[in-house]
């Protein structure tokens, strides 16, 4: 006698079979999704570089739209269209550097001459040399310097970010930062400051043998109380904030699209050249590497701003204390060396835990080799370098 299957049992078997089919379908879809994910490059990490800071460089589909296609992998050599789109970002940084140089240097000279002419018209009986000394010693030049760099650093930063399609809020969204890390970075920067001082002194000794002076003498500038206050505010607060906004906020982001290591060193070089003399170039270059690194590490310019304010404030205070009595200077120097040793240890610890981003073969073909194809990038470098040479020669 054949087994009889009731309608309820039949429905239960069909339900169980449908459930089994559903589970198998889900597993198959998940497997296909994983295969697609594995075969398609990550738009935020297209070069699969574990040493880079993921998320800092942004979405690479702006440069390589094909990244969204199934199974697409970034080629070793960029084609013409990719190079062109990537070069645009290097050009944005280059143009902003050119604008910054022209507006700050040229604008400063124009405004200074305009004020000089006004003073000369109001005081025709006073010689030009006396008027120049008055402008330098009063708060006039200090105020002009602060105003010009405040306006144009901020303006060029915002223009560059807008041009590159980067939201300003993205450069201050700090992550994984603490007071302890701030102390560590400040002490590491202090060690770099000490190294740069001795290095620049040695270089100046070499240049001086051939009749050149690489040290810029700013004595006599802003000697009034108001002038000193303005210079201190600019050096210790305005300059660190606006320079970090420009160099680590805008320029580093723009140059990091394909190669973070290239961005770190190129922005450090531009940062050094922007200071216009060898002593400050050495400090700005070495410090610029650290500032760019911690900016990427925390995806924000806030840590770099804090370190920059600290080192500029310390340098200003050290300059004032170096004019004190011999005993005080000796004590300060001993404390400085102790702090420098501590800073060296903290720098070693930081670099041991946070290696500089390395460069993959694909990225090496999208860094300097593409950037030098940008006319504005190369022009910005040449202008800054020639201006620093001019400063050195004019001081001979």
């Amino acid at each position: 006698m054949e087994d009889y299957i009731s309608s309820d049992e039949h429905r239960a078997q069909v339900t169980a079979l449908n459930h089994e089919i559903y589970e198998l379908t889900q597993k198959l879809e998940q497997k296909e999704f994983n295969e697609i994910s594995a075969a398609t490059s990550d738009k935020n990490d297209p070069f699969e570089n574990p040493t880079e800071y993921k998320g800092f460089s942004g979405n690479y589909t702006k440069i390589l739209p094909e990244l969204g296609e199934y199974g697409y992998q970034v080629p070793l050599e960029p084609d013409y269209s990719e190079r062109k789109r990537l070069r645009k970002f290097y050009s944005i940084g280059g143009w902003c550097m050119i604008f910054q140089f022209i507006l700050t240097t040229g604008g400063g000279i124009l405004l200074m001459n305009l004020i000089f002419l006004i003073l000369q018209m109001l005081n025709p009986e006073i010689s030009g040399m006396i008027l120049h000394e008055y402008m330098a010693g009063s708060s006039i030049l200090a105020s002009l310097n602060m105003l010009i760099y405040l306006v144009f650093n901020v303006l060029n930063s915002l223009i560059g970010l807008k041009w590159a399609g980067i939201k300003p809020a993205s450069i201050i969204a700090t992550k994984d930062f603490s007071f302890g890390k701030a102390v560590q970075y400040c002490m590491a920067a202090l060690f770099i400051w000490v190294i740069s001082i001795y290095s620049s002194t040695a270089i100046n000794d070499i240049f001086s043998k051939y009749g050149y002076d690489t040290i810029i003498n700013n004595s006599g500038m802003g000697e009034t109380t108001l002038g000193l206050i303005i210079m201190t505010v600019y050096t210790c607060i305005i300059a660190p904030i606006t320079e970090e906004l420009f160099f680590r906020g805008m320029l580093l982001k723009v140059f990091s699209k394909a190669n973070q290591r290239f961005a770190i060193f190129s922005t450090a070089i531009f940062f050094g050249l922007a200071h216009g003399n060898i002593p400050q170039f050495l400090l700005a270059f070495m410090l610029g590497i650290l500032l760019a690194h911690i900016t990427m590490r925390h995806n924000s310019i806030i840590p770099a701003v804090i370190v920059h304010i600290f080192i500029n404030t310390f340098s200003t205070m050290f300059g004032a204390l170096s004019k004190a009595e011999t005993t005080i200077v000796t004590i300060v120097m001993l404390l400085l060396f102790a702090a420098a040793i501590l800073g060296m240890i903290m720098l070693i610890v930081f670099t041991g835990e946070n290696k500089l981003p390395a460069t993959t073969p694909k990225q090496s073909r999208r860094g300097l080799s593409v950037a030098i194809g940008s006319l504005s990038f190369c022009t910005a470098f040449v202008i800054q370098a020639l201006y620093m040479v001019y400063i050195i020669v004019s001081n001979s």
Side-chain angles (χ1 to χ4, degrees):
M1 184 176 180
E2 295 181 358
D3 294 335
Y4 173 75
I5 300 177
S6 66
S7 59
D8 290 339
E9 290 177 334
H10 178 72
R11 281 196 294 270
Q13 290 178 358
V14 171
T15 301
L17 182 61
N18 287 336
H19 180 70
E20 186 176 352
I21 293 173
Y22 173 78
E23 288 183 341
L24 290 173
T25 302
Q26 288 292 99
K27 290 179 180 179
L28 181 61
E29 289 178 351
Q30 183 63 44
K31 181 180 178 182
E32 290 177 349
F33 176 79
N34 293 337
E35 289 176 352
I36 292 174
S37 299
T40 305
S41 297
D42 185 348
K43 63 183 181 180
N44 293 314
D45 185 24
F47 303 104
E48 300 176 350
N49 187 345
T51 68
E52 287 198 332
Y53 293 101
K54 190 172 182 179
F56 183 83
S57 300
N59 190 337
Y60 199 71
T61 56
K62 293 181 179 180
I63 298 171
L64 199 58
E66 295 86 350
L67 277 176
E69 298 176 3
Y70 168 69
Y72 184 84
Q73 293 288 321
V74 179
L76 179 63
E77 294 285 349
D79 60 17
Y80 174 78
S81 60
E82 184 186 356
R83 292 177 70 91
K84 183 179 179 180
R85 295 189 191 100
L86 181 57
R87 192 181 297 118
K88 173 189 173 183
F89 286 89
Y90 294 131
S91 296
I92 289 172
W95 280 118
C96 288
M97 282 298 307
I98 293 171
F99 293 153
Q100 194 233 24
F101 177 82
I102 293 174
L103 293 172
T104 55
T105 306
I109 293 173
L110 287 174
L111 286 176
M112 184 179 68
N113 287 332
L114 178 61
I115 293 174
F116 175 77
L117 289 174
I118 293 173
L119 290 174
Q120 201 169 41
M121 289 174 61
L122 296 174
N123 305 277
E125 71 283 356
I126 301 178
S127 68
M129 183 175 294
I130 293 176
L131 285 177
H132 275 298
E133 290 177 355
Y134 168 74
M135 288 177 63
S138 68
S139 61
I140 294 176
L141 289 187
S143 301
L144 274 179
N145 187 66
M146 182 174 70
L147 179 63
I148 287 170
Y149 279 94
L150 171 61
V151 172
F152 293 131
N153 275 345
V154 173
L155 181 63
N156 280 325
S157 300
L158 295 178
I159 289 174
L161 289 170
K162 179 68 175 179
W163 195 354
I166 300 170
K167 295 180 179 179
S170 67
I171 66 175
I172 57 174
T174 314
K175 65 179 183 181
D176 191 27
F177 186 59
S178 63
F179 177 77
K181 285 186 172 63
V183 172
Q184 180 187 29
Y185 301 154
C186 287
M187 296 306 296
L190 182 60
F191 169 69
I192 293 173
W193 182 85
V194 172
I195 294 298
S196 71
I197 292 296
Y198 283 96
S199 299
S200 60
T201 301
I203 291 175
N204 187 66
D205 290 341
I206 296 173
F207 272 76
S208 62
K209 293 179 181 179
Y210 299 95
Y212 298 102
D213 188 1
T214 63
I215 297 178
I216 304 300
N217 185 7
N218 289 323
S219 60
M221 183 175 176
E223 293 181 327
T224 64
T225 302
L226 180 59
L228 289 173
I229 292 174
I230 291 173
M231 287 185 65
T232 302
V233 170
Y234 169 72
T235 302
C236 300
I237 300 176
I238 302 299
I241 294 174
T242 59
E243 286 178 359
E244 290 311 312
L245 180 63
F246 182 83
F247 287 99
R248 259 64 63 177
M250 183 276 297
L251 204 63
L252 186 66
K253 276 281 188 180
V254 169
F255 286 171
S256 295
K257 285 299 177 182
N259 190 330
Q260 290 183 4
R261 188 181 184 88
F262 170 75
I264 289 174
F265 283 94
S266 59
T267 53
I269 290 173
F270 276 121
F271 184 50
L273 290 174
H275 286 77
N277 59 82
I278 290 181
Q280 287 184 302
F281 171 84
L282 288 174
L283 172 60
F285 172 70
M286 292 189 289
L287 188 62
I289 295 173
L290 174 64
L291 294 176
H293 194 177
I294 64 176
T295 297
M296 288 185 177
R297 167 70 177 79
H298 300 285
N299 197 33
S300 169
I301 64 170
I302 300 300
V305 169
I306 293 172
V307 174
H308 202 154
I309 288 175
F310 168 79
I311 208 67
N312 279 22
T313 303
F314 178 86
S315 180
T316 301
M317 293 176 61
F318 182 82
L321 289 173
S322 63
K323 300 174 184 178
E325 297 178 0
T326 305
T327 304
I328 296 177
V329 173
T330 302
I331 295 173
V332 170
M333 292 301 296
L334 290 173
L335 292 174
L336 177 62
F337 279 118
I341 292 173
L342 179 60
M344 179 184 67
I345 295 172
M346 290 190 170
L347 180 61
I348 292 172
V349 170
F350 171 72
T351 53
E353 296 176 348
N354 305 273
K355 302 292 185 182
L356 279 173
T359 303
T360 66
K362 292 179 181 180
Q363 290 175 299
S364 66
R365 290 160 172 80
R366 290 166 172 82
L368 182 61
S369 60
V370 176
I372 58 176
S374 167
L375 178 61
S376 61
F377 180 93
C378 296
T379 302
F381 173 80
V382 171
I383 289 175
Q384 297 277 9
L386 288 178
Y387 183 70
M388 190 166 74
V389 172
Y390 165 75
I391 295 296
I392 295 172
V393 173
S394 63
N395 285 337
S396 61

